[in-house]
Each structure stands twice: as C-alpha cells, then as structure tokens.
Amino acid sequence: MEVLRFSLSGKTAFFKKPEVNTYYYFTYGNIHKVALLGIFGAVLGYGGYAQMKGFEKEKRQSGLTKSFPEFYEKLQDLQISILPKKKKGYIPKKVQLFNNSVGYASKEQGGNLIVKEQWLENPEWEICLLINSEEAQKVKEAICKRKCVYYPYLGKNDHPASISNIVVEEVQICEFEVGRIDCLAPDEFVSIADLDFDDKEDLDLFGSFQYKEALPYTLDALTNLYHLKNFLYTDEAVNVGETEVYQLSDGKKIVFY
C-alpha cells in the first residue's frame, strides 16, 4: 500500500486552544488531525470556516443543522500519522506580544488591542498519509507536484508552512506484539507494556519519556467545535489494541487514524 511521506515545519506555529481567550491565547503542543486536514484543504483549494458564514445565517433562520467546512467534509476520512521530530515530542513555546491596530479590534481609545499568543518555536514533524481513497490521491498528486491553491500555514496565516523531503513509498502491515511506536497515537490504540527488567533487556526496550496530550481529533457536526482524544508519544515499549501497525522503509512503525 502506498504512503505519502513528507516533512512539515516552520519558524513558528499556533494551534489555538479555544478554552481560554482571556489575557493569553494558548496553543496545543503539536499539530493535530483537524489542522493537518486544513493544510491539505488549502493545498486542494477547499473552503474553510470563513466560507461557512452564509451557512451560519441559514442555521440561525431555520434551526441548528449539521454542517462542516468544505475541507473537513471532503477530507475527514483521510488516514494520517504524525511523527514528532523534536526530542521527546516536546516543542518549545514562547509568548509573543503584538498590537492589533486595525481600529475596530478594541473598544478602548484608539482601537488598539494588545494580543498575547503562545507560539511553538521551530516546530517540525514527519507526516504520513495513507493513499487509500480518491481524496488521498488528490493530496498526493498536488504535494508531489508542489502545487497548491492556497498557501498552507501552521494554524494561522502568520505562520507559513514548509513542506519538504517528499517521498511516496510502499508500506506493509507488520506483525506487532510489543515494541515501540514512532508516532503520536490515540491512547485507545496503544498502552504502555507491563514488562519486567529482564524482558526490557532482552528486547532492548528501555524507554526514557512519555509525552501525553489531549488533541483535537474530529469536529462536532452541529457546532464545529473540537472533539478531543488523548494521544501518547513515547520511546517505551507499548502494546497495540485492535488496530493495524505499518512499517516504513526506514523501519519506523506507525499507526494511522
């Protein structure tokens, strides 16, 4: 089976957490599936949240109805895997202060709004996309030809995205009992293996870190708010539940979701 594999990076990134919008705007610690689908939608020229304004008016007039932005409607079934490239999966963050002085940004005198955002610094991931549908094939062709309709960015248009090291390779489903998984994985798929010292020594599976975070996984059909899942990234040995494990050409093992 084919997989599109590429590096995704930038100088900064901001994947806004919607729960807090007072004093500071916070970011998720890694890119998530909904944001990645947004990047693919930009590449293919699909509409986003801004193009839904007409639909929102219809919702208010006729009652709440189910609808998604165009990019999510068409790409939600894509199977992706995200491999952090930073040590232990952690990307440094820094709070940035800047002025929004368009005049209508604030009701204060002068219309100036001081914005405080938490940005990821020099983020980098390896992205894998399973080519198992027509939409996945469209994404593969556009990225391999280095063509995009809208410029992709990392959360906001202040953060241009760089796509490099593009390859298409064959992957195989591998037998997996216990071992390391090299991607962010929903914790319903993986769990830390309960191994004693001798088993770890025999398998050379001494781990040093566990990175866990609740990340957006899907959108709600009525409100378009995020549904979250807990994700795990670790170099420790894990057990895998009822999901398939794929092995890449360099030996890395991943799951798609």
Side-chain angles (χ1 to χ4, degrees):
M1 189 170 290
E2 275 191 344
V3 164
L4 172 68
R5 188 176 177 183
F6 61 89
S7 295
L8 179 66
S9 61
K11 293 184 66 175
T12 56
F14 177 66
F15 305 109
K16 183 182 177 183
K17 287 187 174 184
E19 296 88 352
V20 180
N21 61 3
T22 302
Y23 304 116
Y24 292 95
Y25 296 97
F26 293 96
T27 181
Y28 292 103
N30 272 281
I31 193 171
H32 50 80
K33 183 173 183 179
V34 178
L36 185 57
L37 296 183
I39 290 176
F40 293 154
V43 168
L44 297 178
Y46 294 155
Y49 298 102
Q51 286 73 34
M52 291 188 69
K53 290 181 179 178
F55 294 114
E56 295 299 326
K57 183 177 180 180
E58 291 178 11
K59 281 185 180 182
R60 289 193 296 270
Q61 292 175 343
S62 60
L64 203 60
T65 58
K66 294 182 179 181
S67 64
F68 289 121
E70 184 184 13
F71 81 89
Y72 191 80
E73 184 74 46
K74 293 188 175 183
L75 303 178
Q76 59 183 307
D77 294 326
L78 293 186
Q79 295 293 292
I80 59 100
S81 188
I82 299 170
L83 292 73
K85 298 186 77 171
K86 292 294 185 180
K87 187 177 180 180
K88 299 183 179 180
Y90 176 76
I91 301 171
K93 305 179 184 73
K94 187 175 182 180
V95 173
Q96 304 287 340
L97 279 71
F98 55 92
N99 292 326
N100 183 342
S101 55
V102 295
Y104 52 82
S106 173
K107 294 181 180 179
E108 297 178 7
Q109 186 175 1
N112 184 64
L113 177 66
I114 299 175
V115 180
K116 302 174 183 177
E117 288 182 347
Q118 184 187 51
W119 291 0
L120 301 178
E121 294 192 310
N122 299 309
E124 187 175 10
W125 306 271
E126 189 169 28
I127 305 297
C128 292
L129 170 66
L130 192 63
I131 310 303
N132 62 349
S133 66
E134 182 180 348
E135 291 295 337
Q137 185 69 28
K138 290 180 183 178
V139 174
K140 184 193 83 169
E141 292 176 0
I143 289 181
C144 287
K145 293 178 181 178
R146 299 182 181 274
K147 293 183 178 179
C148 64
V149 178
Y150 304 121
Y151 200 94
Y153 51 82
L154 299 175
K156 283 179 60 179
N157 56 12
D158 300 316
H159 312 282
S162 174
I163 296 175
S164 59
N165 303 321
I166 303 166
V167 296
V168 177
E169 62 182 55
E170 291 289 329
V171 294
Q172 302 293 332
I173 298 173
C174 65
E175 294 184 6
F176 189 94
E177 294 183 3
V178 62
R180 291 191 177 120
I181 295 295
D182 297 290
C183 65
L184 281 164
D187 65 1
E188 65 192 53
F189 289 3
V190 299
S191 59
I192 301 297
D194 185 16
L195 300 177
D196 59 28
F197 182 86
D198 291 337
D199 289 334
K200 291 181 179 181
E201 188 173 42
D202 291 341
L203 297 171
D204 189 25
L205 291 176
F206 289 97
S208 62
F209 71 90
Q210 295 180 28
Y211 176 96
K212 296 181 179 180
E213 185 175 9
L215 294 170
Y217 188 72
T218 58
L219 290 181
D220 184 86
L222 292 175
T223 63
N224 288 165
L225 296 177
Y226 292 143
H227 289 159
L228 305 182
K229 277 187 183 292
N230 292 319
F231 280 77
L232 171 67
Y233 176 62
T234 181
D235 63 348
E236 294 191 36
V238 298
N239 296 313
V240 175
E242 298 297 321
T243 190
E244 294 172 330
V245 177
Y246 293 79
Q247 182 167 316
L248 301 174
S249 59
D250 56 3
K252 292 180 179 178
K253 294 180 174 64
I254 63 173
V255 296
F256 288 96
Y257 52 88

